[in-house]
Amino acid sequence: MWVWIAFPYVLSLLVVMIPSTGINQLLCEFKFKEDTELKNKLDKLLKKINSLSNGEFSQTGDLREQNEHIIQLRAKLYQMRTWPFGYSENYKYGAAFISSTAMSFITLPPALKDAVEKILSRL
């Protein structure tokens, strides 16, 4: 009996969690790959800036702009979420899950309520 009561709740959790973990994994891989590429570009750019001689100062402005752009991209990448749901979605889903669970126990038939009370009193 308890399996059938818990089944819809377990199923609803699985429907949310299984796709979310796949999306999380893809986003983490993307974030790592992009960060590695940006770090390599930044290293090459810094080596290029350091290798310029005194007569090539006209190029340093452009290289420094590229450097700042890459640093900004890395900062945005660092701020990127890897979990597909924000706090508001988690809160809404959690509230709906808890309220529906509570309502299912409140609306139990009297015989089941007595059984639940006996089980809870033993704990």
Side-chain angles (χ1 to χ4, degrees), residues 24-82:
N24 180 342
Q25 183 180 6
L26 289 173
L27 288 173
C28 285
E29 289 173 5
F30 170 78
K31 192 173 178 178
F32 178 75
K33 180 183 169 194
E34 284 295 313
D35 188 49
T36 304
E37 288 178 13
L38 289 174
K39 187 177 178 185
N40 290 338
K41 285 181 183 179
L42 190 61
D43 288 342
K44 288 179 184 178
L45 196 60
L46 289 175
K47 286 179 184 177
K48 197 175 201 180
I49 289 172
N50 290 334
S51 69
L52 290 176
S53 63
N54 291 338
E56 300 173 323
F57 281 119
S58 62
Q59 292 181 356
T60 58
D62 291 336
L63 294 176
R64 290 192 191 281
E65 285 180 17
Q66 290 177 5
N67 183 32
E68 289 298 319
H69 179 69
I70 291 173
I71 289 173
Q72 289 174 357
L73 286 176
R74 284 188 79 196
K76 287 180 183 178
L77 187 66
Y78 179 76
Q79 292 173 353
M80 186 181 91
R81 291 187 326 197
T82 56

Side-chain angles (χ1 to χ4, degrees), residues 95-109:
F97 184 80
I98 290 169
S99 65
S100 63
T101 304
M103 287 305 294
S104 67
F105 284 113
I106 290 172
T107 58
L108 283 176

Side-chain angles (χ1 to χ4, degrees), residues 4-15:
W4 287 110
I5 292 172
F7 180 71
Y9 300 107
V10 171
L11 195 59
S12 69
L13 282 174
L14 290 176
V15 165

Side-chain angles (χ1 to χ4, degrees), residues 1 108-118:
M1 170 185 72
L108 283 176
L112 289 178
K113 282 185 184 180
D114 293 338
V116 169
E117 288 175 3
K118 287 180 185 178

